[in-house]
Amino acid sequence: MRRQDTPAHELPSFARYLHKVFDFRATAASLTDSRCEPEIPPASVFLAAFHGFAFRLPSFEQLEAELTQPALQQWVGAERAFRDDVLRYSLSGFHLEALERMLVQVNRTLKRNKALDQGRVQGRIVAAVDGIEVLSSYSRCCDSCLQRRVFVRQAGVKVEQLQYYHRAVGCQIVSSPCKPFLALEWLQPGEGEDTAALRLLEKLPELYGSRFFDVLLLDALYAQAPVLKLAQRKGWDLVVSLKQNQRDLYQSAVRLFARRPADFSGTEQHDGKSYRFQLWDSEGFPFSADHPQPVRVVRSEEKLTQNHYRRGQLQPETTEHEWLWITTLESQAFPPMLVRRLGHARWKLENNGWNDLTQNWAFKHGFLHACRHRPSTHSQESERKPVANRGLAAVSLILLLAFTLCSAFIHCHSKIFRRYPTSTLEVARQLRFSLSKLPPHIRGPDAPPASPHPA
């Protein structure tokens, strides 16, 4: 079949799926912001931003250009085109609680519909937690900015400058083809990533229940006693990278494994790479002197062979790697080969999560950071002052909603994607192109009739 004869995804199909499965527009109608009697309702602002991300538009300026189309105006429930300053003014004062509830409702629906069952490991759902730096600047800052001093080169001379940045910790399901984000937690001034991660992990059971997922994958930064205690209390199993930050445990495991041959060995090939590995597995290591909970340690020595171009010729190159993981998984159900696979599965959060959001969803664009164009409210002294800037957090939540729902539509609903595999970027292009084929007077099939709003 020729490319032009291949069926394409259309926006009405996407909208019907969102309405039928997630009651999307009814939930969007309950969203609010800090404006008083706005002409453009918060639901229209949200739908415009959501569809902008679903179309993979990189900025609000480009979304403003798209909103000149009458079809898109009808689709988001707006009576006229509106500029990006309306988006900024509304989203800077958006109420985050409703957006968080919407994300939780979407993820609960996905699990209830068994969308997360495919890819279970030994019948268990696997999640990962990791952090990312969202933006940095030497000039623009807000009240929530973190600060650090960095050296930059100016005119050939290293100069120390104060840098402002934002960092967040996220939790993502990594075992299923549809990889939804469960929640996002922002680092506050004066705290580290581990503190924000603990706050996120404490919040997840309140949002989803303690058994929404079963296994949690973590970086070596989170190899701490409070994390182990929290996971034991919530009923989660852990697979945590082990490095020199837990020096006593690391050295004890390395010394023990050096005295005996490997317990398992094997080879593996995928994505054009060849792995040869040897595995050691032992239980009963005390985690630390302050927290002597016995843990299991798995060590992997790996030789990775992959092809690289050298002087115009493709040549195989081999590199050696060593990995250690702490885990609370039982050895009978999870042999060391499976623990190794889970330990490497944490990279899916970086590759299919943060990296995808950064490269293809403009996550690091810095939407509304330090935005001064925001609604005002009366203080206790009866003075009008701008509301706290919630724009960056609001846009990030809308972006995660678009990421999750587009992934669910592609992997759980689209027959076209299953029959004619293509990239998710191509699906976004098809959805955007289908908008231009809609008659301008046709509203979304799941949208209620437009009602007049006060000017």
Side-chain angles (χ1 to χ4, degrees), residues 262-279:
D263 300 317
F264 300 91
S265 61
T267 60
E268 188 177 79
Q269 289 188 353
H270 58 81
D271 297 334
K273 301 176 182 178
S274 176
Y275 297 86
R276 287 184 296 161
F277 54 85
Q278 292 183 311
L279 300 174

Side-chain angles (χ1 to χ4, degrees), residues 429-451:
R429 188 199 67 82
Q430 292 173 3
L431 292 176
R432 182 184 178 189
F433 178 74
S434 70
L435 181 68
S436 62
K437 299 188 295 183
L438 296 176
H441 63 280
I442 297 298
R443 60 180 175 86
D446 55 345
S451 58

Side-chain angles (χ1 to χ4, degrees), residues 260-266 277-281 298-302 325 335-338 340:
R260 72 182 203 212
D263 300 317
F264 300 91
S265 61
F277 54 85
Q278 292 183 311
L279 300 174
W280 289 260
D281 185 10
V298 175
R299 178 192 181 210
S300 175
E301 283 188 358
E302 305 181 7
W325 297 282
M337 292 184 64
L338 201 51
R340 171 186 172 270

Side-chain angles (χ1 to χ4, degrees), residues 3 58 103 106-107 119 128 137 156 198 211 216 248 250 268 310 314-315 328 337 344 348 363 378 390 407 412 448:
R3 179 180 177 87
L103 182 61
V106 165
N107 289 322
S137 173
L198 272 174
R211 300 315 299 256
L216 188 60
D248 293 340
Y250 181 88
E268 188 177 79
R310 296 291 181 264
L314 200 61
Q315 298 179 354
T328 59
M337 292 184 64
H344 289 326
K348 292 182 180 179
F363 186 64
H378 288 283
R390 299 185 287 268
S407 177
C412 303

Side-chain angles (χ1 to χ4, degrees), residues 330-348:
E330 297 180 356
S331 57
Q332 291 184 350
F334 289 85
M337 292 184 64
L338 201 51
V339 173
R340 171 186 172 270
R341 192 188 310 168
L342 286 172
H344 289 326
R346 189 184 59 81
W347 297 339
K348 292 182 180 179

